[in-house]
Amino acid sequence: MTTRHHLPVAHEHSIDGSLLSRTDGTRAGGCAEAEEDERLLQVGDIAKATGKTVRAIHHYEEVGLLRPHARSKGRYRLYDHAALTRVRWIGKLHDLGLSLSQIQQIVSTWESSSSAPGAMSRIRDVYQQKLEEVREQIAHLENLEHELVASLAYLDTCETCDPAELVAACTNCNLHDKSKAEPELVAGIRGGNGQCRQGSNHR
């Protein structure tokens, strides 16, 4: 009599790798659910990945900005990976100067819009305004950068001054190029403190 050997039962997988069924046609539901649970994230995972506190993430849920995908058998909140995107999105809007109530309004307006183009148009208006504000901030910071560079170049010359020189001599220094305006970040150190500059008269 010939002995027959059976090969191990193979499993079919979906495109994303989740377990679908056995070759005998039975559904591997229990395994699929287990794998799905493994892919879900707890609140601590979200906090660690986004740099937010657990309390902040719970607060986002309380105000309707975040919803758990499911709950574990122990009743812990479980989130899908879209929750990571939502929390990072909230963080970026905070960085742009939007308050939590303003973010709530954006979400509420988007969800209540009657059409997709209308919803996205409202989002675009908010982003356009923030872009203009960011560009103004960049221009302001660039001006400060130039002022700092000029001030540091000016102060580099001060290192060649006689170490025994008194601070009062700074009001009439001959080491610097007189044809160039003194940076305000340097000039302001001496000005406006109630002390008269050398050569001025008390009144």
Side-chain angles (χ1 to χ4, degrees), residues 95-148:
D95 291 341
L96 288 171
L98 290 170
S99 66
L100 198 59
S101 61
Q102 288 174 315
I103 297 173
Q104 285 178 274
Q105 184 60 45
I106 290 174
V107 173
S108 176
T109 300
W110 185 81
E111 291 179 342
S112 63
S113 295
S114 58
S115 69
M120 290 307 180
S121 177
R122 292 173 182 268
I123 299 298
R124 188 185 186 283
D125 290 341
V126 173
Y127 290 175
Q128 181 64 48
Q129 178 183 347
K130 285 302 172 183
L131 176 60
E132 294 171 3
E133 293 176 5
V134 166
R135 284 174 173 169
E136 289 177 359
Q137 293 173 1
I138 290 174
H140 177 64
L141 291 173
E142 285 179 342
N143 288 334
L144 288 176
E145 178 190 20
H146 295 154
E147 181 78 12
L148 284 168

Side-chain angles (χ1 to χ4, degrees), residues 55-108:
R55 180 69 190 93
I57 294 171
H58 284 322
H59 186 56
Y60 296 159
E61 183 180 341
E62 291 168 3
V63 299
L65 292 176
L66 193 66
R67 299 182 181 89
H69 180 78
R71 286 185 180 270
S72 68
K73 293 181 180 179
R75 303 299 296 164
Y76 290 106
R77 296 174 176 88
L78 296 176
Y79 301 87
D80 59 17
H81 285 265
L84 285 174
T85 302
R86 171 55 70 92
V87 173
R88 290 187 177 117
W89 175 74
I90 293 172
K92 289 180 183 296
L93 292 186
H94 275 315
D95 291 341
L96 288 171
L98 290 170
S99 66
L100 198 59
S101 61
Q102 288 174 315
I103 297 173
Q104 285 178 274
Q105 184 60 45
I106 290 174
V107 173
S108 176

Side-chain angles (χ1 to χ4, degrees), residues 3 14 18 24 28 32 36 51 89 126 136 142 156-157 175 177 198:
T3 302
S14 65
S18 59
D24 59 3
E36 180 182 5
W89 175 74
V126 173
E136 289 177 359
E142 285 179 342
D156 285 343
T157 304
L175 295 176
D177 187 351
Q198 184 174 347

